[in-house]
Amino acid sequence: MEIRNPRTGKFDFSIQPVDANGVRSRTISLRASQPGWMAKGIEQRVRVLQQWHTLIEDYSTDLLESLIDDTGRKTESEKELNYVLRAIDSWCEIAKKILREPESLSTSIPVLKLQNHYEPFPLVGVISGWCFPFAHLMKEIIPALLAGSAVIAKPSCVTPRFVRTLNHTIHRTRGLREVLSLVEGTDDILEPLCSNADFVCYNGTAAEARQVSDIAHKLFKPSSIQHGLKNTVIVTETADLENASSAILLGGFWNAGQSSSSIERVYVHRNVYHLFLSRLVGKANLIRLAYPTTESGQIGPIIAEPQINIINGQLWEALENGAKLLTGIGQCEKWEGGYYCRPTIITNVKPSMKILNEETLAPILPVMSYQDTEEICEWVNGITQAHSGAIFSKTANEAIALGDKLSIPYLSINDIALEEVLQVGQHPQMTPETLEFEGTFSNYKKFFRKKTFIINTHKPFGTGWIKS
Amino acid sequence: MEIRNPRTGKFDFSIQPVDANGVRSRTISLRASQPGWMAKGIEQRVRVLQQWHTLIEDYSTDLLESLIDDTGRKTESEKELNYVLRAIDSWCEIAKKILREPESLSTSIPVLKLQNHYEPFPLVGVISGWCFPFAHLMKEIIPALLAGSAVIAKPSCVTPRFVRTLNHTIHRTRGLREVLSLVEGTDDILEPLCSNADFVCYNGTAAEARQVSDIAHKLFKPSSIQHGLKNTVIVTETADLENASSAILLGGFWNAGQSSSSIERVYVHRNVYHLFLSRLVGKANLIRLAYPTTESGQIGPIIAEPQINIINGQLWEALENGAKLLTGIGQCEKWEGGYYCRPTIITNVKPSMKILNEETLAPILPVMSYQDTEEICEWVNGITQAHSGAIFSKTANEAIALGDKLSIPYLSINDIALEEVLQVGQHPQMTPETLEFEGTFSNYKKFFRKKTFIINTHKPFGTGWIKS
């Protein structure tokens, strides 16, 4: 299978896709090794991951180079690599704190005793997208391995170059290759991968998330499916426009908007709409394409080829129907075989347009003005639901009062994507108290299945049903 | 729509099915009333439910009569009614203890503060099956209403007679009819009901559960789907056979096996297999059909007509392929238009047979002998997964050691279906400590959606991205 280079458009790399039988045979050997991995205990598993960390560092030049070839962008690739190294460190600390010991409990009926046992799913299937090919892959692999699971993982075949180097590090880490296998393949192996695993994880785009989630549902597989969708920002009348425009600039345009936390809708109170827009446009005009070199600017190429048509289609529909372009040229531009989308700010968009409802994954910010709380709530709650969002306003209480009326589950206040910032690997060591409330606990706990025993210490309740 | 009477086979009742438009118009008025219901606060909502309790008691003779007509069985109907009355009392106590207040928390990054808010889903859709038509319906309606949700509920149209009386009680309870609507209809309204609700609950059979779960998945609706499947019992060599046979008798044959907690597979250690079987057969022979009157015996008619073919088909396949009948006649028998299945114990069943893999919902116990731990684990883990199970053995530790190797999430020890016994309404008042561990907490919590606010009290992290 030939792989396209996002900067040159050339098919300069190839992979040997594994088929369904290949997946099955790997899962058999992974399953055979998992009890031994589990029996090692957390301290030894931590040691294996620490050795892996060392090897990833040793190979970091190669890994970084291939990640840059995969994605066409440099600073984001450096951040990905650093994130992975920090995440291994953090998870190794955290996993030692979150031991899933059996719980013995009394119940509301004195003769009944309850015990909860936790065991890791023997085999976890990890599938990941191309937005952050290395980070999204490792985000699940690391805690799953520490929990005691074996892992079969399918990185995106849009960005497979780094996998070869990563495989070197896996093969050189003693005890790791028996319980971790990376498979390269097309969508054809999604179903065999899910059906042979006990638990399925996906991180990446909304479209692929839906595909994996449909398969997991059909197969009755427990799963953890993570993606973003139409993340939405609201700038109220009282917001600090300087801070808001800087944060939204980053949220909309970093990684060329190709991220599950990218902002894809901006609503601004009409009293500050023009002031906000002029600041945002001013800052957007300072952003450059990362062409001819990866260091020429901030906006790398479109990573996944099918995105080019999606982006052009959404822009075309909007502009044909009256939307107004404040920055950008209204379509992707081609440079030496690579496609780039300039930072694009558009106004006069209508709620029915694709660009406000479907996943865009590009550096495009539709900006709308709103009149009052009632109107903004009606708009935000009446459109494709955002998976996360942000509110900028003078006080947190004002933002929270508004946020309580919106159907958005995660809301950052006076910043963007803070739920990502609180992720493992992004920040200093966590305390046991913060583990649970920041979601880290559940991101580890998900790899364990719970078994509940209820013991009747007296005689069975129903013995008197039939009398002889 | 004409409704069949399970004892006479006559179509002696009819309902006016609501269509999709009817569902939609009801959800509009329920949604309009929900904010007022929420604003009442928990104390006032408790008072409304207490008044409803009084009215259900006032109408209990009518309710019981129609439930008996719906299901053809009497003592189980009495238990259902009592369960509902106790469940209202218990939930009213519990809901006052589990207030879902906002939580303010610090994070691992000092400038970031976190707040979790909880709000009830505005409109909950409840769908329930025919096994326990009243209990399974009310099990979700009561906590949903107390949480502050409005509820649209579709009782099974196999057993709709009690709904008319229940509607009288709803209409006479001040403030209830505005936030609770029971709709009668066919499967055609499952999709409009799910799509117009914010959260979907189902309790009943595995087949219907799958149908509702598919719809909820397609519509991206959060849901709580509860059903049983091939609940499995293991009797070890050291078990008290007298207690085990009594408990399994009840688990297999009560409510004519038409329950999500009914036992549908029994594995017995070969050293005690014949001793156990003779006790079980002896007790089964004391059980009588509840014919000609509901008080003539313990086994009522098959409630849902399509079950007759399913049961006969599974028995026929087993007997054709070498299974041996120890009690029963190997098929349903017809008495005055009603179909009954005698307590049926069969042996010599094979792992591939439908009767060991598909939902049966009849008083049929396939009993198999096993040789050792390895064999029983291989069998139980290699077949359609049981949703719950039980182990009988001398000590709890022996049972837990075996249970840890089985892929069954809930295991009762030296009794059956203890997870049902620990349900709200089945037992004395619960303490705050037991609420969480018995699952009651999560059965209430599920009606709330969580909103997470993360506040950056300093300036946004990414302000330095682009320098002018």
Side-chain angles (χ1 to χ4, degrees):
Chain A
M1 183 181 178
E2 301 301 302
I3 308 298
R4 181 180 169 274
N5 182 310
R7 292 190 74 85
T8 65
K10 294 201 177 102
F11 289 79
D12 60 4
F13 189 80
S14 67
I15 57 171
Q16 292 290 333
V18 170
D19 66 3
N21 285 329
V23 169
R24 254 186 300 276
S25 68
R26 294 207 196 189
T27 59
I28 290 167
S29 77
L30 289 165
R31 276 188 191 282
S33 305
Q34 187 268 338
W37 177 245
M38 183 60 200
K40 275 184 199 290
I42 182 67
E43 294 289 345
Q44 271 205 59
R45 290 199 295 276
V46 162
R47 248 170 272 142
V48 173
L49 265 82
Q50 283 166 339
Q51 205 208 326
W52 193 20
H53 182 286
T54 306
L55 278 151
I56 291 174
E57 271 187 316
D58 292 349
Y59 280 84
S60 59
T61 313
D62 280 7
L63 271 169
L64 188 59
E65 252 175 47
S66 50
L67 270 175
I68 294 172
D69 286 344
D70 273 331
T71 59
R73 38 69 167 169
K74 188 177 173 194
T75 58
E76 290 89 342
S77 300
E78 289 166 347
K79 290 222 178 208
E80 269 200 278
L81 183 61
N82 288 334
Y83 163 82
V84 167
L85 290 170
R86 279 201 316 276
I88 296 177
D89 284 339
S90 301
W91 275 121
C92 284
E93 282 304 307
I94 290 167
K96 285 189 274 186
K97 292 178 195 161
I98 320 182
L99 294 173
R100 308 248 55 201
E101 301 289 352
E103 302 158 335
S104 285
L105 306 153
S106 57
T107 74
S108 54
I109 302 179
V111 297
L112 299 186
K113 307 290 173 202
L114 196 145
Q115 277 193 34
N116 288 325
H117 289 199
Y118 300 90
E119 56 168 12
F121 287 104
L123 184 60
V124 171
V126 172
I127 299 160
S128 58
W130 47 264
C131 294
F132 289 97
F134 191 29
H136 281 176
L137 181 73
M138 295 293 278
K139 194 178 160 183
E140 306 289 357
I141 287 178
I142 302 163
L145 287 172
L146 288 168
S149 303
V151 177
I152 181 162
K154 179 194 168 318
S156 171
C157 57
V158 174
T159 49
R161 292 168 185 81
F162 77 101
V163 176
R164 206 160 283 182
T165 314
L166 190 61
N167 263 327
H168 288 311
T169 68
I170 294 169
H171 285 223
R172 277 168 182 67
T173 304
R174 185 189 298 272
L176 189 57
R177 63 187 293 179
E178 292 80 7
V179 290
L180 171 61
S181 181
L182 306 182
V183 291
E184 298 186 309
T186 64
D187 288 355
D188 293 348
I189 61 166
L190 290 178
E191 179 142 354
L193 195 152
C194 293
S195 78
N196 284 287
D198 304 303
F199 181 71
V200 175
C201 298
Y202 177 80
N203 270 279
T205 68
E208 285 182 349
R210 185 67 196 174
Q211 197 183 357
V212 175
S213 149
D214 285 348
I215 293 171
H217 174 80
K218 207 186 77 189
L219 295 166
F220 298 88
K221 290 288 168 183
S223 64
S224 159
I225 311 281
Q226 294 179 23
H227 63 95
L229 192 61
K230 301 317 282 180
N231 302 317
T232 298
V233 177
I234 297 166
V235 180
T236 71
E237 204 179 354
T238 63
D240 178 323
L241 301 183
E242 179 57 28
N243 280 344
S245 56
S246 289
I248 292 167
L249 190 81
L250 183 79
F253 300 148
W254 193 68
N255 198 32
Q258 300 168 106
S259 154
S260 54
S261 58
S262 295
I263 293 165
E264 301 203 339
R265 295 193 286 230
V266 183
Y267 296 90
V268 185
H269 191 280
R270 63 173 181 176
N271 291 354
V272 294
Y273 180 68
H274 292 289
L275 268 174
F276 171 83
L277 259 185
S278 69
R279 284 186 197 241
L280 186 67
V281 168
K283 290 174 185 178
N285 281 332
L286 299 172
I287 295 180
R288 300 277 166 265
L289 296 189
Y291 181 84
T293 76
T294 54
E295 289 171 342
S296 308
Q298 299 82 6
I299 303 290
I302 312 292
I303 298 171
E305 196 177 16
Q307 284 298 112
I308 300 162
N309 277 335
I310 292 172
I311 297 165
N312 284 341
Q314 291 188 9
L315 280 173
W316 183 85
E317 186 217 36
L319 296 171
E320 277 292 296
N321 290 285
K324 207 179 134 195
L325 209 58
L326 301 193
T327 67
I329 64 165
Q331 60 179 26
C332 300
E333 48 198 279
K334 192 175 179 185
W335 292 97
E336 258 189 274
Y339 286 82
Y340 296 79
C341 180
R342 267 176 213 281
T344 300
I345 298 169
I346 55 170
T347 59
N348 286 31
V349 285
K350 301 192 184 82
S352 63
M353 289 176 174
K354 281 185 187 166
I355 209 155
L356 284 189
N357 290 281
E358 296 178 8
E359 188 175 45
T360 307
L361 293 176
I364 299 175
L365 287 173
V367 185
M368 292 135 285
S369 88
Y370 73 91
Q371 190 171 316
D372 54 25
T373 305
E374 202 180 325
E375 190 177 69
I376 184 65
C377 291
E378 202 181 302
W379 284 354
V380 169
N381 296 338
I383 205 168
T384 304
Q385 202 197 310
H387 276 215
S388 83
I391 300 177
F392 288 84
S393 67
K394 187 162 187 189
T395 67
N397 284 344
E398 183 190 343
I400 290 172
L402 173 57
D404 268 332
K405 301 196 178 86
L406 302 174
S407 60
I408 303 180
Y410 293 93
L411 280 162
S412 299
I413 295 180
N414 289 334
D415 206 340
I416 49 112
L418 292 177
E419 72 280 4
E420 294 284 322
V421 175
L422 285 181
Q423 271 194 90
V424 166
Q426 302 281 25
H427 56 100
Q429 298 308 330
M430 306 179 84
T431 65
E433 296 78 50
T434 59
L435 283 173
E436 182 158 6
F437 291 104
E438 295 180 11
T440 305
F441 190 48
S442 59
N443 269 330
Y444 189 63
K445 216 164 54 164
K446 70 185 179 190
F447 296 110
F448 292 83
R449 58 182 162 203
K450 179 176 165 185
K451 189 167 288 171
T452 300
F453 295 95
I454 311 171
I455 304 142
N456 189 339
T457 58
H458 195 56
K459 67 173 186 175
F461 282 104
T463 43
W465 186 42
I466 305 293
K467 282 156 199 92
S468 51
Chain B
M1 182 182 179
E2 301 301 303
I3 308 297
R4 180 179 169 274
N5 183 310
R7 293 190 73 86
T8 64
K10 293 200 178 105
F11 289 78
D12 60 4
F13 189 80
S14 67
I15 58 171
Q16 292 290 334
V18 170
D19 66 3
N21 285 329
V23 169
R24 253 186 300 275
S25 67
R26 294 208 197 189
T27 59
I28 290 168
S29 77
L30 289 165
R31 277 188 191 282
S33 305
Q34 187 268 337
W37 177 245
M38 183 60 200
K40 275 185 199 291
I42 182 67
E43 294 289 345
Q44 271 205 58
R45 291 199 295 275
V46 162
R47 248 170 271 142
V48 173
L49 265 82
Q50 283 166 338
Q51 205 208 326
W52 193 20
H53 182 286
T54 306
L55 278 151
I56 291 174
E57 270 187 316
D58 292 350
Y59 280 84
S60 60
T61 314
D62 281 7
L63 271 169
L64 189 59
E65 251 175 46
S66 50
L67 270 176
I68 294 172
D69 286 344
D70 273 330
T71 59
R73 39 66 167 170
K74 188 177 174 195
T75 57
E76 289 89 343
S77 300
E78 289 166 348
K79 290 222 177 208
E80 268 199 280
L81 183 61
N82 288 334
Y83 162 83
V84 167
L85 290 169
R86 278 201 316 276
I88 296 176
D89 284 339
S90 301
W91 274 121
C92 283
E93 281 305 308
I94 290 167
K96 285 189 273 185
K97 292 178 196 161
I98 320 183
L99 294 173
R100 308 247 56 200
E101 301 289 352
E103 302 158 335
S104 285
L105 305 153
S106 57
T107 73
S108 54
I109 302 179
V111 297
L112 299 186
K113 307 290 173 201
L114 196 145
Q115 278 193 34
N116 288 324
H117 289 199
Y118 299 90
E119 55 168 12
F121 287 103
L123 184 60
V124 171
V126 172
I127 299 160
S128 58
W130 47 263
C131 294
F132 290 97
F134 191 29
H136 281 175
L137 181 73
M138 296 292 278
K139 195 178 159 183
E140 306 289 358
I141 288 178
I142 301 163
L145 286 172
L146 287 169
S149 303
V151 178
I152 181 161
K154 179 196 167 318
S156 171
C157 58
V158 173
T159 49
R161 292 168 185 81
F162 77 100
V163 176
R164 207 161 282 182
T165 314
L166 189 61
N167 263 327
H168 288 310
T169 68
I170 294 169
H171 285 223
R172 277 168 183 65
T173 304
R174 185 189 298 271
L176 188 57
R177 63 187 293 179
E178 292 79 7
V179 289
L180 172 60
S181 180
L182 306 182
V183 291
E184 298 185 310
T186 64
D187 288 355
D188 293 348
I189 60 165
L190 290 179
E191 179 142 352
L193 195 152
C194 293
S195 78
N196 284 287
D198 303 302
F199 181 72
V200 174
C201 297
Y202 176 80
N203 270 279
T205 68
E208 285 182 349
R210 185 67 196 174
Q211 197 183 358
V212 174
S213 148
D214 284 348
I215 293 171
H217 174 80
K218 207 186 77 189
L219 296 167
F220 298 89
K221 290 288 169 185
S223 63
S224 159
I225 310 281
Q226 294 179 24
H227 63 95
L229 192 61
K230 301 317 284 179
N231 302 317
T232 298
V233 177
I234 297 166
V235 180
T236 72
E237 205 179 351
T238 63
D240 179 323
L241 301 183
E242 179 57 28
N243 280 345
S245 56
S246 289
I248 292 167
L249 190 81
L250 183 79
F253 301 148
W254 192 69
N255 198 31
Q258 300 168 106
S259 155
S260 54
S261 58
S262 295
I263 293 166
E264 302 203 339
R265 295 193 286 229
V266 183
Y267 295 91
V268 185
H269 191 280
R270 63 173 182 177
N271 291 355
V272 295
Y273 180 68
H274 292 289
L275 268 173
F276 171 82
L277 259 186
S278 68
R279 284 186 196 241
L280 187 67
V281 168
K283 289 174 185 179
N285 282 331
L286 299 172
I287 295 180
R288 300 278 167 265
L289 296 189
Y291 180 84
T293 76
T294 54
E295 288 172 342
S296 309
Q298 299 82 5
I299 303 290
I302 313 292
I303 297 171
E305 196 177 17
Q307 284 298 113
I308 300 162
N309 278 335
I310 292 172
I311 297 164
N312 284 341
Q314 291 188 8
L315 281 172
W316 183 85
E317 186 216 37
L319 296 171
E320 277 292 296
N321 290 284
K324 207 178 133 196
L325 210 58
L326 301 193
T327 67
I329 64 165
Q331 61 179 26
C332 299
E333 49 198 278
K334 191 175 180 186
W335 292 98
E336 258 189 274
Y339 286 82
Y340 297 79
C341 180
R342 267 177 213 281
T344 300
I345 298 169
I346 55 170
T347 60
N348 285 30
V349 285
K350 301 192 184 84
S352 62
M353 289 176 173
K354 282 185 187 164
I355 210 156
L356 284 189
N357 290 282
E358 296 178 8
E359 187 174 46
T360 307
L361 293 177
I364 299 175
L365 287 172
V367 185
M368 292 135 285
S369 87
Y370 72 92
Q371 190 171 315
D372 53 26
T373 304
E374 202 180 326
E375 191 177 69
I376 184 65
C377 291
E378 202 182 303
W379 284 354
V380 169
N381 296 338
I383 205 168
T384 304
Q385 201 196 310
H387 277 215
S388 82
I391 300 176
F392 288 83
S393 67
K394 187 161 187 187
T395 68
N397 284 343
E398 183 190 344
I400 289 172
L402 173 57
D404 268 332
K405 301 195 178 87
L406 302 174
S407 60
I408 303 179
Y410 293 93
L411 281 161
S412 299
I413 295 180
N414 289 333
D415 206 340
I416 48 111
L418 292 177
E419 72 280 4
E420 294 284 322
V421 175
L422 285 181
Q423 272 193 90
V424 166
Q426 303 281 25
H427 57 100
Q429 297 309 330
M430 306 179 83
T431 65
E433 296 78 50
T434 59
L435 283 172
E436 182 158 6
F437 291 104
E438 294 180 12
T440 304
F441 189 49
S442 58
N443 269 330
Y444 188 64
K445 216 164 52 164
K446 70 184 179 190
F447 296 110
F448 292 83
R449 58 181 161 203
K450 179 176 164 185
K451 189 168 288 173
T452 300
F453 295 95
I454 311 171
I455 304 141
N456 189 340
T457 58
H458 195 56
K459 67 173 186 175
F461 282 104
T463 42
W465 186 41
I466 305 293
K467 283 157 198 91
S468 50

